[in-house]
Amino acid sequence: MTPQDDDDEDDAPPGLAPGTPFYMTPAGHAALQAELHRLWTEERPKVVEVVSWAAGLGDRSENADYQYGKRRLREIDRRVRFLRKRLERVQVVDPATQPRRDRVFFGATVTYAREDDREVTVTIVGIDEADTAQHRISWVSPVARALLGAGIGDLVRLRTPQGVESLEIVSIAYPER
């Protein structure tokens, strides 16, 4: 296995076949592009400047600025490589343009009732956009997979470590067009 093969493995979504597209909302896509731009045009040039200055001081083996700067450059370059590969394969899906708003698809905000009558609201987003604190779940998560394609009033089955749980779809919403 080459280091490049290693990068390809990190690029694949867990549990999905290689080559599966990376679905993402327009906002998520813009955020990745902004991060790439910031790293490449702002942060990396500053670190290169510090490393160049530190290298000119002489003994690099005991120069903390040089050692830290080189490590930070490797981190930035690794993230830039990851972002570029991700953005090459991303498929931007605008949930506001979803024609079938009576079913759960990518980008939907879904409220479902659990067996204990607790209601949970989640928005189904891309892998890189998932954030449980904001109730944004990845479209490849078990909950999202159970919800996809269902309509209001449907009961879906979710396999959990504690067993199978039934979830009832209470509402489905999409952003306005």
Side-chain angles (χ1 to χ4, degrees), residues 117-129:
D117 289 331
R118 269 189 316 134
E119 286 192 359
V120 178
T121 301
V122 296
T123 301
I124 300 172
V125 296
I127 295 166
D128 298 316
E129 302 171 272

Side-chain angles (χ1 to χ4, degrees), residues 113 115 146 150-158 165-169:
E115 288 177 345
I152 295 174
D154 287 355
L155 287 175
V156 297
R157 295 169 48 113
L158 173 65
E165 181 178 357
S166 290
L167 309 176
E168 181 181 358
I169 310 299

Side-chain angles (χ1 to χ4, degrees), residues 67-121:
Q67 297 293 330
Y68 172 76
K70 290 296 281 186
R71 185 176 322 121
R72 182 65 188 133
L73 274 178
R74 284 191 299 274
E75 291 167 358
I76 291 170
D77 289 345
R78 186 173 21 254
R79 182 67 180 167
V80 163
R81 230 179 1 263
F82 171 82
L83 290 170
R84 285 184 174 156
K85 285 171 68 176
R86 182 71 98 217
L87 288 167
E88 281 175 11
R89 292 184 45 209
V90 73
Q91 216 173 342
V92 178
V93 177
D94 187 354
T97 63
Q98 177 56 253
R100 289 211 50 201
R101 293 170 170 258
D102 62 331
R103 295 272 172 205
V104 177
F105 296 109
F106 182 88
T109 297
V110 183
T111 300
Y112 60 88
R114 302 183 66 145
E115 288 177 345
D116 61 6
D117 289 331
R118 269 189 316 134
E119 286 192 359
V120 178
T121 301

